[in-house]
Amino acid sequence: MPAPIKIPSAPPSPSQTTSRPYIGRFAPSPSGALHLGSLACALASYFDAKVHQGLWLVRMEDIDPPREPAGAADAIVECLIKHELHWDCEILYQSTRTAAYQRTLAQLKAKQLTYYCQCSRKILRTLNGVYDGHCRYLQHTDGAIKFNIQHASTLGLNTQVSFIDTLCGTQQQDLLASGDFIIHRKDGLFAYQLAVITDDIAQGITHIVRGDDLLDVTFNQLMLFETLDYQAPQFTHIPVLLDDRGYKLSKQHGAPAVDINTPQKNIYTCLQQMGFTPPPHANTKQLLSWGIDAWHVRYFS
């Protein structure tokens, strides 16, 4: 495996990011072992990085200890190794990145883009997922910390967010209509939105390939990229794999962990579920090579 590449001490400036070498990533949450759906996302991001002759990084998004069974992160690493999905730099563990997240939060606070919110989950459920800004001007001194989209608009940031997804085409959302979002939780943990952006910037991520169940959160992330003056990555959202009931394969819906002792079978099944027709008698390494070629033909020919 190549020698570790250190995270830069400061993110690239916009002038440095206009023509950037490809850096992609697979960023699982260790709330359990990988299932076929998450393995498919790993494969897709791996294929895309290899097609572009870029780097493929692995980031462990272990910022929610109450939801992370002991040994889950190690099990994910072992699973990737068994499937011969070898990353190019040392694994980044978000549990080691608290100081970086605090710096990002301080940047947003300095721009007056944050406020404390004490609304309960029960109240938020009554709002149908769109926060009405109730706590925005109440000057609480504790609670969850939210990003103030209303103030972002007054600072001249673009709240009419749009981007072109490689597979899904043009996507648009009015963030003023969708509402403010949490960046630091009431329980003291950093929220996914803040952590993922901080690390994408630190690692110089240029391309993100992930499931289309994360399409909606992309708009908030693009707002944070703009706020922190970083050229956003190119996004590719692939269809998530479904179980026999039509539900997304996920830990929440009881998706079983992949058997790490059958990597050839697992990769073959994922390729089939992703709409490819892989050779039935290829071994693991051959399937990965075939998958890279098939990905190139489908999306770049």
Side-chain angles (χ1 to χ4, degrees):
M1 190 174 298
I5 295 177
K6 293 182 179 179
I7 296 173
S9 57
S13 68
S15 62
Q16 293 174 308
T17 59
T18 52
S19 179
R20 303 178 291 180
Y22 184 111
I23 304 178
R25 47 80 161 175
F26 173 58
S29 171
S31 54
L34 294 186
H35 50 73
L36 281 178
S38 48
L39 179 60
C41 286
L43 289 168
S45 61
Y46 177 85
F47 293 155
D48 201 63
K50 297 308 174 184
V51 164
H52 288 89
Q53 298 182 328
L55 297 177
W56 186 65
L57 311 186
V58 172
R59 178 194 307 156
M60 201 64 64
E61 298 194 333
D62 55 342
I63 55 169
D64 195 353
R67 297 182 59 246
E68 296 162 7
D74 290 340
I76 290 173
V77 172
E78 183 182 10
C79 183
L80 294 175
I81 293 172
K82 289 284 189 179
H83 288 80
E84 300 188 39
L85 293 170
H86 302 303
W87 50 95
D88 293 303
C89 309
E90 62 182 332
I91 297 175
L92 180 68
Y93 289 84
Q94 288 192 330
S95 56
T96 68
R97 299 275 293 154
T98 299
Y101 305 147
Q102 289 172 336
R103 288 193 294 270
T104 298
L105 184 59
Q107 285 182 265
L108 299 177
K109 285 184 175 180
K111 296 181 179 183
Q112 299 182 323
L113 286 168
T114 66
Y115 63 91
Y116 287 103
C117 176
Q118 296 185 349
C119 293
S120 66
R121 290 184 178 181
K122 182 178 180 181
I123 292 175
L124 296 176
R125 281 195 295 269
T126 66
L127 300 173
N128 296 318
V130 180
Y131 184 61
D132 62 1
H134 172 75
C135 293
R136 193 179 290 146
Y137 305 110
L138 295 182
Q139 298 183 336
H140 294 307
T141 57
D142 61 5
I145 300 176
K146 288 192 170 178
F147 183 87
N148 190 334
I149 295 173
Q150 187 73 45
H151 187 58
S153 178
T154 65
L155 293 179
L157 295 170
N158 184 17
T159 57
Q160 299 284 337
V161 178
S162 65
F163 69 99
I164 300 176
D165 186 273
T166 305
L167 296 185
C168 303
T170 300
Q171 305 293 312
Q172 297 177 319
Q173 189 175 104
D174 179 3
L175 291 186
L176 288 173
S178 62
D180 301 336
F181 55 92
I182 292 176
I183 53 177
H184 189 264
R185 291 166 28 175
K186 185 177 181 179
D187 60 8
L189 298 176
F190 285 95
Y192 165 75
Q193 300 282 38
L194 183 138
V196 71
I197 292 304
T198 299
D199 291 335
D200 282 340
I201 293 174
Q203 293 185 293
I205 299 300
T206 64
H207 291 72
I208 295 175
V209 180
R210 61 188 183 185
D212 60 9
D213 55 323
L214 293 174
L215 191 61
D216 285 344
V217 305
T218 306
F219 300 99
N220 291 340
Q221 293 170 10
L222 288 169
M223 168 58 71
L224 290 174
F225 278 128
E226 182 183 2
T227 303
L228 297 170
D229 200 24
Y230 182 79
Q231 181 182 331
Q234 171 66 51
F235 286 92
T236 301
H237 288 89
I238 66 171
V240 297
L241 300 192
L242 305 178
D243 62 20
D244 293 338
R245 302 166 295 174
Y247 293 134
K248 167 196 164 186
L249 278 178
S250 67
K251 303 176 187 76
Q252 180 183 2
H253 293 135
V258 297
D259 183 349
I260 64 172
N261 296 310
T262 58
Q264 184 274 345
K265 176 183 176 183
N266 301 334
I267 295 173
Y268 183 86
T269 301
C270 283
L271 286 168
Q272 279 193 316
Q273 292 294 315
M274 293 163 70
F276 295 103
T277 307
H281 303 298
N283 61 31
T284 299
K285 189 178 296 291
Q286 290 168 337
L287 282 174
L288 291 176
S289 179
W290 185 92
I292 293 168
D293 291 340
W295 187 269
H296 182 273
V297 169
R298 175 178 287 186
Y299 298 119
F300 301 102
S301 296

